[in-house]
Structures are given as C-alpha cells and as structure tokens.
C-alpha cells in the first residue's frame, strides 16, 4: 500500500516484522491492514484485514512476549480536495493477538466506538497500555479525542483525560491540551517512559507530559517557532535522554526536557518535496516543512 504509518520489529527475532498499511489515500484497495513478515521483509502475509476502505494505522509488539501484538485499524480516505478524512467510517478499532498475529480480537471494554487510535506499551510493565483515541462522530467523521489506559493488557480501559463537551459524569481529567491534534489534523502520538509506566508524553503542537498516568499534564516544550511534534523517542536505559521529531527536524534533550539542542544545527528536517535543477552536476533542492529551503550538490 502507498501509506505505511507504523512498523514493529520482534525484539527477539529481527527477521519477524509487522507493518501497519493504511493503503491508498484516495481510493479503495485491498492492500490495507496489518501485514507480517518472517523473513526480514522479503515476503509478507496479510494477517488482519477488514475491508478495502479500512487500513492499518498502528502496530506494537509486547516486549516481554512477542506473541502478543496490538494493532489499530482506521477506516479513512481523503477526497481529491484534501478534506481531512472525507470518507471516514466505523470499521476500525483496537485489536489484540496472542498467537503472534495469526488471529485477532477487537478490544472494546471501556472504549468508545474507535475511529482512529495511537498505541503505546509501557516497556517496564507491558500489561500497561495507553491509547490516544478519536471516537466516531457523525457520519463516521472524527468525534471527541480521549486518552485511555489499560492495566491488564487491553482487556479493560479507563478514560484518563478528555476534552470539553462530554457528559458531566465522565471519568478522567478535563484537559484538552494534550489531546489537540498535530498541525494538519493528525492524532497525537504517545510515548511511555521506559522506567516509569505512569510517565507518558503526548506529541502535539506542544509536547506534553503526565507523571500520573493522565490525571495531570504539563508542557515540556512549546511552539514559539512553529514546532509541530510528530514523534517522541526515549532512551531505554537513560530516560533523561529524549529525542523529539518536529517538522523542522529532530531536537535532543539530555535533561528530561529542561533544555534542548537546536534543529538549525542538524540536517534532519522533514523534507516535503525534492527536485533537481539543470546544472551539471545537478543540484538537489528540497523544501523542508516550516523552514528555509535546502540545497545539496548532486552526485
């Protein structure tokens, strides 16, 4: 499929890998769902599939038991005029396999009707899972976003953080800030501290952190320069070392987010388009997102 938003590699067998394949953005196609390779990507088998409009959006392997695999499916297609999720539907959800990805069951207890979800497993306690969930709204389009937690491997979920406009008896904390969509409309991605399963980061226009499993949140890094965070990585041995990927590039903190490197000094920008000029040797020119153009000599 043209879009592959997530890969997961077996920590005990690097030849075994899963791919979440979202598929063609503008039309129906059967190359969607969750695919598995047992030979390092040379051949693939589709192991979780709903229909030609529902693709794989995320996949994660339990680090303590690689036979346990979690995945999310998202029914979404774009219109030619780029209206976000123009053909959204209700066939997605969060799924779990306990036999290495051969069979799957949908996880529903405590969850809304899931339109789209991003997952994170706590490395130090893999029975603790977090999910950033967009519920289905009218006509299948995106409804409210919530931050959910499970402490039993996804069998039961609790709403930990929600936005405004929900019923007054809803559980969890009312705080829409860590739930805000990334610029462009993407659902925030989440990362769990490898040494503390109560510490979770949310990547949005601002980077947020909770130290109590979603009861309270505080800002780690703001966006005065137009930053737009896409993904957060934490060193598995030294959690004070954090890598944050934004449109402008990658920035690194060695003190748990108190200070950061400068993305101007690292050629890691998100390049949205590349072309060449007519010189000989030709020059390669790229346009990074939210930054100045780059130019490199052709080879």
């Amino acid at each position: 499929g043209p879009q592959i938003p997530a890969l997961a590699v077996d920590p005990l067998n690097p030849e075994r890998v899963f791919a979440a394949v979202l598929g063609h953005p503008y039309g129906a196609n059967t190359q969607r769902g969750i695919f598995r390779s047992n030979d390092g990507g040379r051949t693939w088998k589709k192991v979780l599939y709903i229909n030609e409009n529902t693709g794989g959006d995320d996949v994660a392997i339990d680090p303590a038991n690689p036979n346990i695999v979690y995945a999310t499916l998202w029914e979404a297609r774009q219109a030619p005029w780029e209206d976000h999720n123009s053909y959204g539907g209700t066939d997605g959800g969060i799924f779990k396999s306990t036999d290495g990805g051969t069979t799957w069951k949908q996880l529903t207890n405590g969850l809304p009707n899931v339109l789209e979800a991003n997952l994170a497993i706590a490395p130090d306690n893999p029975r603790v899972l977090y999910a950033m969930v967009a519920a289905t709204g009218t006509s299948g389009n995106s409804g409210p976003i919530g931050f959910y937690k499970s402490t039993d491997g996804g069998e039961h979920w609790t709403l930990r953080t929600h936005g405004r406009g929900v019923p007054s008896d809803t559980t969890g904390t009312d705080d829409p800030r860590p739930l805000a969509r990334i610029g462009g409309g993407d659902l925030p991605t989440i990362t769990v501290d490898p040494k503390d399963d109560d510490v979770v980061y949310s990547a949005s226009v601002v980077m947020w952190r909770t130290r109590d499993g979603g009861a309270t949140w505080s800002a780690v890094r703001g966006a005065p320069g137009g930053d737009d965070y896409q993904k957060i990585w934490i060193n598995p041995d030294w959690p004070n070392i954090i890598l944050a990927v934004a449109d402008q590039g990658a920035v690194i903190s060695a003190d748990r987010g108190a200070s950061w490197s400068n993305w101007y000094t690292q050629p890691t920008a998100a390049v949205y388009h590349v072309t060449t000029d007519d010189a000989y040797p030709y020059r390669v020119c790229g346009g990074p997102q939210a930054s100045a153009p780059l130019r490199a000599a052709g080879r």
Side-chain angles (χ1 to χ4, degrees):
Q3 300 180 100
I4 302 176
L7 296 170
V9 180
D10 186 330
L12 303 180
N13 177 13
E15 293 292 298
R16 182 169 171 267
V17 58
F18 289 83
V21 179
L22 196 56
H24 197 288
Y26 298 109
N29 76 307
T30 59
Q31 291 300 303
R32 301 183 191 272
I34 305 300
F35 289 72
R36 179 183 63 198
S37 174
N38 291 319
D39 54 13
R42 288 181 288 275
T43 61
W44 294 86
K45 179 181 180 181
K46 184 163 53 179
V47 292
L48 177 59
Y49 177 74
I50 299 295
N51 56 43
E52 62 186 7
N53 294 316
T54 305
D57 193 39
D58 200 3
V59 62
I61 298 174
D62 186 319
N65 182 358
N67 283 324
I68 298 176
V69 187
Y70 301 91
T72 70
L73 298 182
W74 179 24
E75 184 182 357
R77 280 168 49 193
Q78 301 292 322
W81 51 87
E82 295 283 354
D83 185 18
H84 289 291
N85 198 22
S86 301
Y87 302 112
T90 60
D91 287 336
I94 301 177
F95 296 80
K96 179 181 181 179
S97 172
T98 58
D99 58 8
T102 301
T103 61
W104 300 78
K105 72 170 183 178
Q106 187 169 356
L107 304 177
T108 59
N109 196 321
L111 293 171
N113 291 325
V114 177
L115 173 70
E116 181 189 6
N118 291 328
L119 301 174
I121 302 175
D124 69 327
N125 183 7
R127 288 182 61 78
V128 173
L129 304 174
Y130 292 95
M132 191 70 76
V133 176
T136 55
T138 58
S139 303
N141 290 322
S142 180
I145 298 175
F147 178 72
Y148 290 81
K149 180 179 182 179
S150 172
T151 59
D152 57 5
E155 297 303 318
H156 303 85
W157 296 84
T158 302
L159 178 61
R160 300 289 293 162
T161 314
H162 60 78
R164 298 184 175 91
V166 299
S168 58
D169 59 349
T170 301
T171 62
T173 300
D174 182 348
D175 189 349
R177 301 173 303 167
L179 314 180
R181 288 183 175 274
I182 301 170
D186 296 323
L187 194 66
T189 61
I190 48 178
T191 305
V192 186
D193 187 296
K195 302 293 186 182
D196 187 341
D197 58 53
D198 279 327
V199 177
V200 189
Y201 293 80
S202 171
S204 181
V205 177
V206 171
M207 184 195 306
W208 301 93
R209 176 171 57 211
T210 176
R211 301 177 187 268
D212 48 22
T216 60
W217 295 84
S218 59
V220 179
R221 182 178 168 91
D227 294 15
D228 188 9
Y229 300 99
Q230 310 288 344
K231 197 72 174 177
I232 297 165
W233 175 86
I234 305 172
N235 187 298
D237 298 317
W238 304 96
N240 283 349
I241 299 175
I242 304 171
L243 172 73
V245 179
D247 282 345
Q248 296 92 333
V251 288
I252 300 169
S253 173
D255 52 15
R256 206 177 176 83
S259 62
W260 294 87
S261 65
N262 192 323
W263 46 259
Y264 279 119
T265 63
Q266 298 168 180
T268 53
V271 178
Y272 273 48
H273 186 72
V274 174
T275 189
T276 58
D277 66 9
D278 295 328
Y280 183 84
Y282 63 86
R283 289 170 292 226
V284 180
C285 304
Q289 170 76 354
S291 187
L294 295 176
R295 186 178 71 183
R299 302 297 183 193

